[in-house]
Amino acid sequence: MTAQPHADHPVRQLIALLDALAEAVLIIDREGQIRQLNQPAQQLLGAGSNTVCGSSFTEWLAEPHQEPDRAGFLARRNSAAGGQAGAPVLLRSRAGPLLAGLAVCSSELDGMPVYVCLLRDLAQLKRAEAQMLDAQRLVRSILQNTTEGYVLLDAAGMVLDSNPAFEAMCGRNALDLRDLRIDRFFDEPNRKLFEEWLKKLENGRAATAEISISRDTREPVLGLFKGAPLFDAHSQQVGMFGLITDITESRRRELTIEQLAYYDPLTGLANRLLLHDKLTQATLLSERYQRKFALLFLDLDKFKHINDTLNHLVGDQLLQVIAHRIQRVMRRSDVVCRFGGDEFVIGLIEPRRVEDAAKVAQKVLDAVAEPIEIDEHILHVTTSIGISVYPDDAESVDELIRNADLAMYQAKAQGRSRLSYFTPSLNERVQHINKLEREMRHALERREFLLHYQPKIGSASGNIVGAEALIRWNNPALGAVSPADFIPLAEETGLIVPIGRWVIEEVCRQLKYWEDNDLLQVPVALNISGHQLHLPDFRQQAEELSGAHRILPELLELEITESVPME
């Protein structure tokens, strides 16, 4: 600029402000002579301040002869209404004729009356307006064709505009939606969620929420609402807009994946992964608040027999009924898990007296014991339950489960259909049983079993009329092991099958030896396990063994224990 008014001069402050806004500003005296102009004005006219300052403003008109009255021209423009862009004038610039908007206002410069003229390139404004319209049309086109829902609301939550995607989510057309409050598409719980979302927008914040949209004839749509407030030029909120993504299918897939990852597909109960997670959280709470919680380990009695004698479909239905019954007597805060096969685990996590664990276990025993009808079969099922307490019986989740499992086996050993608490002595016994099992698995190959033959004496004659084969086990590490200890373990582990075959073959060999040496020929009785009777080829095995040693089949008396018919 040619003159430099004081920094606090009003005109100078105005020019500085308009410089920052990139407006073209000229200061013209009342005679029409240009006294000052800023950099944007120089760029607009294509001439420097040395060229422009001192010249008449009308000289910069494209047709200056039409405006001989230089002062009157600006005075008339000062009172003319030209709108926001100003009255149009055709200027000459280095680039050629320029259609500009001229806005004139009166002011003073160092006490001298002047005109402050603002120039705007109308062509540029028109281009900007055209670009804005193009952008609006583009945005409109995108909103109308996107799969995301769009809704425009006024400050009261009334629908002003929407797109087809949102209309499809609501099951309404655009006319039906117009001037309706949007909250009428939500049920009561989701209306509260929407009001919370709306309140955040009313506070001038962007917000996101998952809200279910109710529809008259179809299932609801779960929408992810993302919205922001709208303000006018005075920073007053005038409405809000929302973009809504239909996440119904994606959430359904997430739930399916979560169901597969954390729940048993047959019973719908928690699986081991979810159980471990819940119990880990419970141990942390236990340590923080110095409280205990109990774990119940269940195993159905004789479930394998039902699977084998009926079929696996019946077994699956039975497990589903049992799972439902267990859940029926538990609290929502407890975690119920199908641990595997016919095993269930219950975590009594929320605070209660640990002594109540036995009462809960008894409720489960009673619920499971109720008769179950499946495919015209009336089934009577029982379960054995072991109980362990954290932190009394364990220092970790895995140890807690293991000890409850040990207690469960103790309950089975005591007669089934009962409960048993874990004790340290039980752990010692289990370790002994584990060692017994390890040694027994090698007993046959090491020839550690032997048979004793107990004679049967006829009451009338006093003669030997038969014998009973009794198995004994001598182990180098354990010594003489009682049949009362190893026979039940052999049945539980399935080792009774190879051991039973060895007993039959050994009796046949002994009978053949007595025959070959002209010794007394009497029938020999031997006990048969239920596991052997369930083998489809058991009879064939017995006939093959007796035939291989060429002995009479009637010399073999196969006896079954009282428990076999009950099984």
Side-chain angles (χ1 to χ4, degrees):
M1 317 248 336
T2 56
Q4 298 295 325
H6 295 295
D8 58 352
H9 193 281
V11 176
R12 179 61 175 146
Q13 292 175 348
L14 178 61
I15 294 173
L17 175 61
L18 294 179
D19 265 332
L21 296 175
E23 294 281 358
V25 181
L26 297 92
I27 305 298
I28 304 174
D29 62 22
R30 291 304 173 92
E31 299 301 321
Q33 185 178 11
I34 299 174
R35 304 298 295 271
Q36 296 177 352
L37 76 164
N38 64 357
Q39 190 64 34
Q42 298 174 39
Q43 295 174 352
L44 186 67
L45 298 175
S49 60
N50 293 334
T51 303
V52 178
C53 289
S55 63
S56 170
F57 176 73
T58 56
E59 294 177 15
W60 294 94
L61 298 176
E63 298 176 350
H65 61 276
Q66 295 183 359
E67 294 289 349
D69 183 2
R70 297 181 298 177
F73 174 80
L74 293 175
R76 289 192 299 275
R77 295 301 186 276
N78 184 28
S79 59
Q84 187 176 3
V89 294
L90 191 63
L91 302 177
R92 63 181 179 84
S93 69
R94 184 174 297 176
L98 172 69
L99 183 63
L102 173 64
V104 180
C105 64
S106 298
S107 184
E108 289 186 358
L109 179 64
D110 292 334
M112 178 179 64
V114 294
Y115 294 112
V116 177
C117 301
L118 303 181
L119 290 175
R120 294 184 177 91
D121 186 344
L122 293 183
Q124 184 177 0
L125 286 176
K126 289 185 179 296
R127 286 194 298 272
E129 288 176 358
Q131 290 173 355
M132 183 178 296
L133 290 174
D134 289 342
Q136 289 176 346
R137 282 192 290 268
L138 177 61
V139 170
R140 184 71 181 171
S141 176
I142 292 173
L143 290 176
Q144 289 298 310
N145 293 283
T146 183
T147 57
E148 280 198 300
Y150 156 76
V151 63
L152 179 65
L153 308 174
D154 66 13
M158 306 292 286
V159 177
L160 299 178
D161 191 23
S162 61
N163 70 346
F166 181 72
E167 293 154 13
M169 291 179 191
C170 297
R172 302 290 186 93
N173 59 39
L175 292 177
D176 291 337
L177 286 175
R178 193 65 51 83
D179 297 329
L180 289 177
R181 274 189 61 87
I182 191 173
D183 59 1
R184 69 175 299 170
F185 299 106
F186 310 124
D187 57 21
E188 189 59 33
N190 285 281
R191 187 175 290 117
K192 292 180 180 178
L193 291 174
F194 177 76
E195 289 173 355
E196 293 174 2
W197 179 74
L198 209 59
K199 190 172 295 182
K200 292 179 181 178
L201 296 182
E202 290 170 352
N203 292 333
R205 295 180 293 164
T208 302
E210 291 184 10
I211 306 175
S212 182
I213 305 172
S214 300
R215 300 191 288 185
D216 294 337
T217 58
R218 288 175 288 174
E219 65 174 332
V221 170
L222 182 60
L224 177 62
F225 281 67
K226 295 164 287 186
L230 297 174
F231 301 93
D232 62 14
H234 305 290
S235 300
Q236 296 296 314
Q237 185 173 340
V238 293
M240 57 213 78
F241 75 91
L243 295 176
I244 304 95
T245 305
D246 184 348
I247 59 173
T248 308
E249 286 302 321
S250 62
R251 184 50 51 86
R252 186 178 287 123
R253 287 193 295 269
E254 289 176 8
L255 292 175
T256 301
I257 293 171
E258 180 181 352
Q259 188 74 19
L260 293 174
Y262 293 107
Y263 293 90
D264 173 55
L266 178 64
T267 63
L269 298 179
N271 62 12
R272 290 192 183 193
L273 188 62
L274 183 57
L275 172 72
H276 200 281
D277 181 59
K278 295 285 188 182
L279 293 181
T280 299
Q281 294 178 35
T283 59
L284 296 176
L285 292 174
S286 174
E287 294 166 5
R288 178 180 299 176
Y289 298 108
Q290 300 298 306
R291 67 191 189 199
K292 302 177 182 181
F293 69 91
L295 185 82
L296 278 57
F297 198 108
L298 291 69
D299 184 90
L300 301 184
D301 302 324
K302 310 293 185 182
F303 177 75
K304 185 177 184 304
H305 175 70
I306 295 175
N307 253 355
D308 293 342
T309 55
L310 298 177
N311 58 61
H312 288 279
L313 290 178
V314 173
D316 287 348
Q317 293 179 58
L318 175 62
L319 290 174
Q320 291 172 334
V321 173
I322 296 297
H324 175 72
R325 289 186 177 182
I326 294 173
Q327 283 186 303
R328 190 180 63 195
V329 298
M330 303 310 299
R331 302 184 306 182
R332 291 177 62 88
S333 57
D334 300 322
V335 56
V336 182
C337 162
R338 184 189 177 201
F339 200 70
D342 60 341
E343 296 175 333
F344 299 86
V345 172
I346 302 171
L348 307 180
I349 292 175
E350 288 299 317
R352 71 165 93 204
R353 293 186 309 165
V354 174
E355 295 79 6
D356 291 341
K359 297 179 181 178
V360 176
Q362 188 59 53
K363 287 183 179 179
V364 174
L365 289 173
D366 295 340
V368 172
E370 295 175 8
I372 300 173
E373 183 176 357
I374 299 177
D375 294 344
E376 300 180 354
H377 299 288
I378 304 299
L379 305 177
H380 296 272
V381 182
T382 60
T383 185
S384 300
I385 302 178
I387 304 173
S388 61
V389 177
Y390 186 89
D392 296 356
D393 300 329
E395 296 180 352
S396 68
V397 170
D398 292 335
E399 186 181 6
L400 186 70
I401 296 174
R402 182 179 67 86
N403 290 345
D405 189 17
L406 297 180
M408 181 272 296
Y409 279 107
Q410 175 70 13
K412 283 188 178 294
Q414 292 172 349
R416 307 179 191 272
S417 188
R418 61 188 63 210
L419 61 92
S420 176
Y421 274 92
F422 171 81
T423 61
S425 60
L426 176 60
N427 193 30
E428 295 174 3
R429 172 167 172 74
V430 169
Q431 290 179 1
H432 172 71
I433 291 175
N434 290 339
K435 183 176 181 181
L436 202 66
E437 181 183 345
R438 288 195 301 270
E439 293 295 327
M440 187 166 53
R441 290 188 180 278
H442 302 288
L444 277 177
E445 61 188 60
R446 295 173 181 168
R447 300 180 180 276
E448 294 176 2
F449 291 116
L450 68 155
L451 293 180
H452 289 177
Y453 295 90
Q454 179 174 294
K456 296 181 179 179
I457 307 299
S459 59
S461 64
N463 297 327
I464 297 177
V465 296
E468 182 177 4
L470 304 175
I471 188 169
R472 296 294 182 264
W473 179 22
N474 289 321
N475 180 266
L478 302 172
V481 183
S482 169
D485 289 334
F486 73 82
I487 292 297
L489 182 60
E491 290 185 338
E492 183 180 319
T493 59
L495 290 173
I496 194 67
V497 173
I499 293 174
R501 179 184 175 87
W502 174 84
V503 169
I504 296 174
E505 186 172 12
E506 184 64 16
V507 169
C508 291
R509 188 194 64 77
Q510 187 65 53
L511 285 170
K512 182 60 178 174
Y513 175 81
W514 288 341
E515 178 185 345
D516 292 345
N517 289 277
D518 296 325
L519 298 176
L520 185 64
Q521 294 286 293
V522 292
V524 176
L526 60 152
N527 290 326
I528 300 301
S529 164
H531 291 274
Q532 292 173 273
L533 287 178
H534 290 151
L535 294 174
D537 60 345
F538 171 71
R539 179 176 178 177
Q540 180 182 349
Q541 284 185 17
E543 291 175 348
E544 288 177 353
L545 290 173
S546 61
H549 291 84
R550 298 189 301 279
I551 64 169
L552 296 175
E554 55 265 27
L555 293 178
L556 279 180
E557 293 183 350
L558 306 182
E559 297 183 351
I560 59 176
T561 61
E562 295 86 348
S563 62
V564 171
M566 296 178 65
E567 292 178 356

